[in-house]
Amino acid sequence: MSFQVTGSFQLMKSMNRSLILNTIRTNGAISRADIAKITKLTPPTVTNIVNELLKENLVVESKTGISSGGRKPILLSINSSSRYIIGLDVGVKKIRYALSDLNANLLVSKVKRMPPQLTVESFLQVLVQVIQDSIDGMEENKDKLLGIGIAMHGIVDSETGTSLFAPSLKLEGIKVKEHLEQLFEIPVRMENDAKALALGEQWFGNGQGIRDLICINVGEGIGAGLIVNNRIFHGSNSIAGEIGHTMIDMNGPLCTCGSVGCFQTLASGQALRERAMKEISLGKETTLIEKVNSEISNIDGHIIYECAKKGDTLSQQVLKDTGHYIGIGIINIIHFFNPSLIIIGGGVSKAKEFILEPINNVINDRAITHDSKKTPIIFSALGDNGSLIGAITLVLTEIYTT
């Protein structure tokens, strides 16, 4: 099952190589002379490293640039198809997984349903299965596999690659990185899904060019990723960003973490579903009942959104209520972190035409300064693949970041 890695991951990690690679990546196509100017490296150093990168096929020479008086310079660009990365987005009900190139383009992507009643052993076996499936699909390109990136819900120790606590799966202490690296002999990088989403948005989505931002992942649960000075902020115990478990109602519903009134019990996709079902039990008229053929337990966020778009009053109202609670969570974030940008991702974010106005209403009513009322609230550009692209970016940051 395992195979020997060529060592290209470690080769790409030297400081000057990473600096030059990232300069080429961020500029698209650039000359050797401009690389030297930007990086402050000497022209001979740039030439030597670029020659290594060309030899390894990581960089290619492309079109010629504009001459400033002499010979037209040859421009360099990243050879995105020279290496591949496997990414996993490990959710509560399913795993999205994909093979990508060095630009995080998803070449092959699949979804596997999560089996019920998982143990640590059976959970690891599921991860092994999807990774092996991706490797098997690579055929002759297996030696070009650079690493595996994993985004997972719950509390993750990114240094050791351990799932400390996955509340919705009722699992804890899973040594994911250790197990997979021993089995596949491939570098593994692992992160909480909301943090990975934030990283993906900063590199490839609506956070590009922003050094400090917060990305809120509103799905079955709620989490947030904090990017501070271009780095993921973890906190001292890896729980930074767990805003889903901040209390906003001391008398609220019971949460999966064991507390009550947590943010995610009122604003997550699960809370949205439960709110709709409660209203139906009180006799409210809605097309949701017809949509699920009277099987009320089959109602989910997607169905609510579809009915809302078709004018169903109840569906629209529960989405607006959800937006209101998201707004409460965001106003707490604004007052505590004062970010320059907040990005909302996850399944609930698809209903932005129903949730954005109540979010903004809360901010306008509650923010304490004029400028804080103007905090930009935008939605993820990466959609359903946000955390998956973020997982892939975990490996890319190792390559490109000095």
Side-chain angles (χ1 to χ4, degrees):
M1 181 179 294
S2 64
F3 57 89
Q4 188 65 40
V5 181
T6 61
S8 58
F9 184 89
Q10 291 302 323
L11 280 173
M12 294 173 71
K13 271 295 293 171
S14 71
M15 183 177 295
N16 287 344
R17 286 167 64 97
S18 294
L19 181 59
I20 289 174
L21 278 168
N22 197 45
T23 302
I24 297 172
R25 178 188 73 86
T26 55
N27 285 274
I30 187 172
S31 68
R32 291 167 175 81
D34 286 339
I35 292 173
K37 290 177 184 177
I38 292 171
T39 62
K40 303 297 191 293
L41 297 173
T42 65
T45 297
V46 171
T47 297
N48 289 337
I49 293 177
V50 165
N51 286 342
E52 292 175 5
L53 298 173
L54 287 168
K55 185 176 179 180
E56 294 164 25
N57 204 31
L58 288 166
V59 168
V60 292
E61 294 179 329
S62 56
K63 59 186 179 180
T64 56
I66 298 174
S67 172
S68 59
R71 186 173 58 181
K72 288 185 178 181
I74 297 174
L75 302 184
L76 301 163
S77 58
I78 298 293
N79 183 7
S80 62
S81 61
S82 66
R83 300 292 189 279
Y84 301 99
I85 297 166
I86 292 173
L88 279 66
D89 174 15
V90 183
V92 177
K93 296 180 179 179
K94 58 190 174 185
I95 300 177
R96 299 179 187 273
Y97 62 106
L99 184 71
S100 89
D101 63 14
L102 293 181
N103 286 331
N105 295 312
L106 305 186
L107 307 175
V108 180
S109 60
K110 299 180 181 180
V111 177
K112 181 178 178 62
R113 301 296 298 181
M114 194 73 79
Q117 298 178 331
L118 287 167
T119 63
V120 169
E121 291 73 21
S122 62
F123 172 76
L124 287 171
Q125 187 57 43
V126 174
L127 298 189
V128 170
Q129 289 171 2
V130 298
I131 292 170
Q132 190 63 52
D133 181 52
S134 296
I135 292 173
D136 291 342
M138 295 182 67
E139 299 177 352
E140 72 277 5
N141 292 318
K142 293 178 182 179
D143 62 338
K144 296 182 179 180
L145 182 57
L146 202 57
I148 299 167
I150 301 174
M152 181 168 173
H153 97 281
I155 313 299
V156 172
D157 182 337
S158 62
E159 290 294 322
T160 63
T162 302
S163 171
L164 299 176
F165 181 43
S168 296
L169 295 178
K170 297 181 174 59
L171 297 175
E172 57 185 307
I174 314 171
K175 297 181 179 180
V176 176
K177 174 182 168 71
E178 178 182 305
H179 181 79
L180 296 179
E181 286 188 340
Q182 287 180 355
L183 189 62
F184 291 106
E185 299 180 0
I186 303 168
V188 174
R189 298 294 179 265
M190 183 174 169
E191 186 58 89
N192 163 269
D193 55 358
K195 293 182 176 71
L197 173 60
L199 189 66
E201 283 291 331
Q202 192 197 38
W203 276 57
F204 299 105
N206 282 334
Q208 294 181 67
I210 308 297
R211 296 176 63 87
D212 304 286
L213 63 87
I214 292 181
C215 188
I216 305 172
N217 190 16
V218 187
E220 288 294 311
I222 298 179
L226 288 69
I227 303 290
V228 179
N229 197 23
N230 287 327
R231 301 277 183 174
I232 296 175
F233 180 74
H234 293 94
S236 60
N237 302 116
S238 301
I239 65 169
E242 286 297 324
I243 61 166
H245 298 293
T246 55
M247 186 182 297
I248 63 174
D249 183 354
M250 292 184 64
N251 299 309
L254 179 67
C255 183
T256 55
C257 72
S259 186
V260 295
C262 290
F263 180 27
Q264 71 179 31
T265 66
L266 297 166
S268 67
Q270 180 64 23
L272 171 67
R273 173 179 176 271
E274 290 173 356
R275 189 172 295 115
M277 293 175 65
K278 180 180 179 179
E279 293 298 314
I280 291 172
S281 70
L282 294 174
K284 297 291 180 66
E285 293 186 3
T286 174
T287 57
L288 285 169
I289 299 174
E290 180 182 349
K291 188 75 172 178
V292 295
N293 296 319
S294 298
E295 293 291 334
I296 307 302
S297 61
N298 290 334
I299 291 174
D300 59 20
H302 175 73
I303 292 173
I304 293 170
Y305 176 50
E306 290 299 317
C307 288
K309 288 194 296 183
K310 294 178 180 179
D312 181 61
T313 303
L314 174 60
S315 297
Q316 292 177 351
Q317 187 58 52
V318 295
L319 283 169
K320 290 177 181 177
D321 291 343
T322 297
H324 174 80
Y325 285 116
I326 293 174
I328 293 174
I330 287 177
I331 201 66
N332 290 331
I333 290 172
I334 290 173
H335 288 160
F336 193 76
F337 294 107
N338 192 208
S340 57
L341 175 68
I342 295 176
I343 300 174
I344 303 175
V348 175
S349 69
K350 295 177 183 179
K352 56 186 176 182
E353 65 264 45
F354 298 104
I355 67 173
L356 182 57
E357 182 178 355
I359 289 172
N360 285 330
N361 287 342
V362 173
I363 295 170
N364 289 330
D365 290 343
R366 304 290 181 90
I368 60 174
T369 67
H370 180 71
D371 286 340
S372 62
K373 294 178 187 291
K374 296 180 180 180
T375 303
I377 310 294
I378 62 176
F379 291 84
S380 169
L382 304 180
D384 289 338
N385 291 323
S387 292
L388 180 56
I389 291 173
I392 292 161
T393 311
L394 293 172
V395 179
L396 293 177
T397 57
E398 294 284 340
I399 297 165
Y400 292 119
T401 303
T402 57

